[in-house]
Amino acid sequence: MNKNYLILTILALILGFGILFMPDIKHNNEIKPEKLLLMVDEPSRFLSSDVITDRLVKKDPALVLIDVRSAAEFKTFAIPGSINIPLDSLLETSSLEIMGTKDLDKVFYSNADVAADQAWIICKRMGFETIYVMQGGLNNWFNTIVKAEKPADTEPIETVELYQFRKGASQYFYGNGDSTAGQSQQNTQKKTTILMKKEAGASSGGGC
Amino acid sequence: MKMNKRDGTFYINPYLGGILLGLVLFASYYITGRGLGASGAVKNTVVTAVHSVAPTHAEKSGYYSKFLSDDDSPMNNWLVFEVMGVVIGGFLSGIIYGRMKLKVEHSPKITDNKRLIAAAVGGILFGIGSQLARGCTSGAALSGMAVLSASGIITMLAIFGSAYFFSWIFKKLWI
Amino acid sequence: MTGPLIPMNIIPEAWNNVIALLIGIGFGFTLEASGFSSSRKIMGTFFGYDFVVLRVFFTAALTAMTGIIYFDFMGWMDASMLYINPFYVSPAIIGGLVMGAGFALGGFCPGTSFCGIAIGKIDAMVFAGGLFVGIFFFSEAYSLFESLYNSGNMGDALIFDMLGMSKAVFAFLLIMAAIGMFYGATFIEKLVKKVEY
């Protein structure tokens, strides 16, 4: 009996030492392709430019609008209140910290949908939640909000209200809807952006 | 240890039993991705019973409603089948080793009734505790230890620590 | 085959209940054969006359742990997909303390009481009846327990992360502690007067 216990003890010791000298195991926690396909198909990953504009005007602290175009393009023209994370620097620590903040809606946009979609897929594969794409990108935003067309008086009341909202938002961003005036305004807007980013970092609980 | 295996006094070597139980637990993790459990099955039965007697009450309650889903009854659950297996397995072992006998087991110093009252109170306490800790000795402590979860090891320490303390208070029930 | 098999869709979901039944049979058989259907044998651990619970419990947990770690290392199983009970600090501790008191009074835990029922132990039946009453009481009085039940959520916490150790070191120390405990238990058993049951 005692001899058997000795063998068991030695076996346990060998297994224990084996574990001790085992290299750390890394797990691949990326989402499976099938699951990702389902998520890509889900229309709720898009947010319309009106919804985002509304939240920007209301200074929603739970929204961060991310421009994934290059820094040069961002400087020339960008949606006021957005921050710039070029696609190629998406995986830097500072940007991952924003992505990992749980209670923050991260919305990507580029000129059209393509670059924003790429950013979305990369982040989704890394397992980040509450990330969205602004539908139609900057082009659509510019056409609907900044260059909002006055509807005819015969249009239904909803359309008129939507126009008034868009006009109001445009004035909120650019004064009288003059896009050259918008350039000077943009600098002050950038300051609030930086503040927002810090807030995001402070509340992040480790992220990924 | 007697060689006659059928008189009810034979038990397998505890380390052999432990390794077998460990292999069962490992198989459970390997096949289904989750550990063993027991109190969860009782909870599911309670939820199903309450839901069938008083459906609106169950849906309104903050606790039952956690375990109710629209499509399938909570009774149709992994743990319930597992516990049915436990009863069958125990029955088989009882037949093989000759331990099938209706009886109340207790210290010679106390009566049957005293033992049964203590068992009922113990069961009630165990039921409440297992819900608070989200699992019992098998679900939280044993399975949790196998995956080195914090809840498993802390719950295990709390159960054994408090059982050591209380068993000396209720010593008369046992020896 | 990479485990866990059912979450990986290697075995269809429909087999779940059949496998549950088979695993349950294995669980029940080993518990009963090791003597967990007898409350006085279980209680021996706390008075030092029979350490069967300690031996079976720790051998089982460490066997499964070692198996999982080695299978994970060999790439036969993805340990990150295994279910981890969320850790709520105070409910886990208070729940454990309450269960300990129930253990000392009842002499069973839920799993072993079902084993006891299978071989005709009346005290096990009463204990299991108590379980139903206790869980029913908890559910009905949930509003009283709610704030405690949800307090101190640490998520799917792992013990070695909380202690700031690596998994390997913690597992190794646990194995060493168990070996020490087994030898200690044998030593104590020799000192304590045998109890006939």
Side-chain angles (χ1 to χ4, degrees):
Chain A
M1 217 53 185
N2 260 329
K3 206 175 133 203
N4 287 339
Y5 285 160
L6 201 64
I7 294 170
L8 262 184
T9 311
I10 292 168
L11 185 69
L13 282 173
I14 292 171
L15 288 171
F17 275 104
I19 292 172
L20 195 58
F21 294 112
M22 207 177 261
D24 257 355
I25 305 131
K26 291 273 177 285
H27 284 288
N28 183 4
N29 285 327
E30 286 188 345
I31 291 174
K32 289 218 161 58
E34 298 83 8
K35 219 173 157 190
L36 191 63
L37 180 67
L38 283 177
M39 288 172 171
V40 169
D41 259 354
E42 184 65 42
S44 68
R45 72 190 182 92
F46 288 106
L47 292 180
S48 80
S49 45
D50 287 324
V51 169
I52 290 166
T53 309
D54 184 40
R55 291 179 66 172
L56 277 179
V57 170
K58 286 179 181 153
K59 291 201 161 57
D60 186 347
L63 172 82
V64 57
L65 191 57
I66 300 164
D67 188 336
V68 296
R69 301 170 308 156
S70 69
E73 280 178 288
F74 181 74
K75 232 175 194 171
T76 322
F77 180 78
I79 299 178
S82 62
I83 62 169
N84 183 221
I85 301 177
L87 198 54
D88 50 14
S89 56
L90 188 63
L91 299 184
E92 279 168 16
T93 329
S94 57
S95 16
L96 290 181
E97 207 165 284
I98 299 173
M99 297 304 155
T101 312
K102 270 183 185 144
D103 304 322
L104 205 56
D105 289 343
K106 284 79 64 176
V107 185
F108 298 114
Y109 77 90
S110 50
N111 278 333
D113 278 347
V114 182
D117 243 9
Q118 287 167 343
W120 184 88
I121 287 179
I122 291 167
C123 286
K124 202 73 201 179
R125 280 203 69 178
M126 295 178 66
F128 291 125
E129 298 294 327
T130 62
I131 50 176
Y132 304 92
V133 171
M134 187 173 91
Q135 195 148 33
L138 191 57
N139 293 338
N140 183 50
W141 185 82
F142 193 78
N143 289 336
T144 52
I145 308 291
V146 182
K147 291 239 177 303
E149 274 177 35
K150 196 177 183 352
D153 291 341
T154 50
E155 295 275 344
I157 187 85
E158 290 85 8
T159 321
V160 178
E161 273 174 0
L162 185 63
Y163 167 74
Q164 278 163 355
F165 161 71
R166 287 171 171 175
K167 197 73 200 162
S170 175
Q171 276 174 7
Y172 168 79
F173 291 133
Y174 298 121
N176 285 326
D178 187 349
S179 55
T180 44
Q183 293 294 331
S184 59
Q185 191 89 3
Q186 204 178 312
N187 290 332
T188 54
Q189 283 293 341
K190 256 188 194 159
K191 267 183 198 155
T192 56
T193 305
I194 291 159
L195 278 175
M196 247 163 91
K197 195 173 153 187
K198 275 195 181 147
E199 207 173 297
S203 63
S204 98
C208 55
Chain B
M1 229 173 271
K2 289 171 194 166
M3 285 318 288
N4 182 1
K5 292 186 175 185
R6 297 188 61 96
D7 67 354
T9 55
F10 176 80
Y11 293 107
I12 59 173
N13 180 290
Y15 299 109
L16 175 66
I19 289 171
L20 288 177
L21 187 57
L23 291 176
V24 171
L25 177 57
F26 176 73
S28 172
Y29 270 117
Y30 182 67
I31 297 172
T32 67
R34 50 188 309 169
L36 302 165
S39 58
V42 181
K43 177 187 73 193
N44 285 334
T45 316
V46 170
V47 172
T48 311
V50 171
H51 189 230
S52 56
V53 173
T56 44
H57 173 65
E59 276 148 28
K60 264 192 222 153
S61 149
Y63 198 65
Y64 298 123
S65 55
K66 282 182 204 281
F67 309 104
L68 290 171
S69 57
D70 294 332
D71 37 344
D72 56 329
S73 140
M75 193 74 173
N76 181 19
N77 187 288
W78 204 90
L79 282 172
V80 177
F81 282 89
E82 191 228 65
V83 165
M84 277 161 32
V86 169
V87 175
I88 297 170
F91 186 74
L92 287 175
S93 167
I95 289 176
I96 290 172
Y97 297 116
R99 271 193 285 272
M100 302 298 295
K101 197 180 166 197
L102 265 183
K103 69 166 184 179
V104 183
E105 192 185 23
H106 57 79
S107 159
K109 290 175 194 154
I110 58 168
T111 59
D112 276 10
N113 280 340
K114 210 169 174 186
R115 166 73 186 116
L116 293 180
I117 291 167
V121 175
I124 291 171
L125 287 176
F126 224 115
I128 296 171
S130 68
Q131 296 315 297
L132 262 181
R134 295 169 167 77
C136 58
T137 17
S138 29
L142 182 63
S143 308
M145 235 176 113
V147 289
L148 296 175
S149 79
S151 67
I153 291 184
I154 302 290
T155 309
M156 186 267 294
L157 290 175
I159 293 176
F160 280 98
S162 126
Y164 263 103
F165 175 75
F166 282 105
S167 58
W168 284 98
I169 294 179
F170 302 119
K171 195 176 173 187
K172 241 181 84 187
L173 290 174
W174 305 108
I175 53 177
Chain C
M1 287 196 292
T2 321
L5 301 180
I6 288 177
M8 290 275 202
N9 290 322
I10 294 171
I11 295 180
E13 195 85 26
W15 281 90
N16 226 337
N17 292 340
V18 179
I19 287 162
L21 196 71
L22 291 176
I23 285 175
I25 290 174
F27 187 26
F29 189 92
T30 41
L31 282 182
E32 210 290 328
S34 309
F36 279 38
S37 56
S38 156
S39 52
R40 291 193 74 200
K41 198 169 173 63
I42 293 174
M43 291 313 284
T45 296
F46 302 116
F47 299 112
Y49 59 83
D50 191 339
F51 278 105
V52 65
V53 171
L54 185 103
R55 292 193 176 107
V56 174
F57 185 91
F58 279 94
T59 317
L62 293 180
T63 306
M65 179 198 79
T66 312
I68 290 169
I69 290 178
Y70 274 90
F71 265 54
D72 193 31
F73 174 66
M74 300 301 283
W76 296 336
M77 176 171 185
D78 185 350
S80 68
M81 283 180 76
L82 301 179
Y83 175 74
I84 309 253
N85 220 359
F87 182 37
Y88 287 71
V89 184
S90 31
I93 294 172
I94 295 170
L97 295 177
V98 173
M99 278 193 271
F103 207 163
L105 276 167
F108 286 110
C109 61
T112 57
S113 76
F114 291 118
C115 265
I117 291 173
I119 64 155
K121 289 273 163 66
I122 296 165
D123 40 346
M125 296 173 199
V126 174
F127 182 89
L131 275 182
F132 281 93
V133 176
I135 293 176
F136 180 72
F137 170 76
F138 179 88
S139 313
E140 290 300 324
Y142 179 62
S143 48
L144 292 177
F145 296 108
E146 194 168 6
S147 57
L148 174 65
Y149 183 76
N150 291 317
S151 63
N153 186 3
M154 310 272 287
D156 301 344
L158 295 169
I159 186 81
F160 51 88
D161 283 340
M162 293 190 69
L163 297 173
M165 270 187 224
S166 80
K167 187 179 190 168
V169 172
F170 186 82
F172 175 77
L173 291 178
L174 204 59
I175 292 176
M176 293 304 121
I179 293 175
M181 236 159 37
F182 294 153
Y183 278 101
T186 316
F187 181 72
I188 293 172
E189 262 176 4
K190 278 183 189 147
L191 297 180
V192 174
K193 202 178 108 225
K194 279 272 157 277
V195 173
E196 282 300 320
Y197 52 89

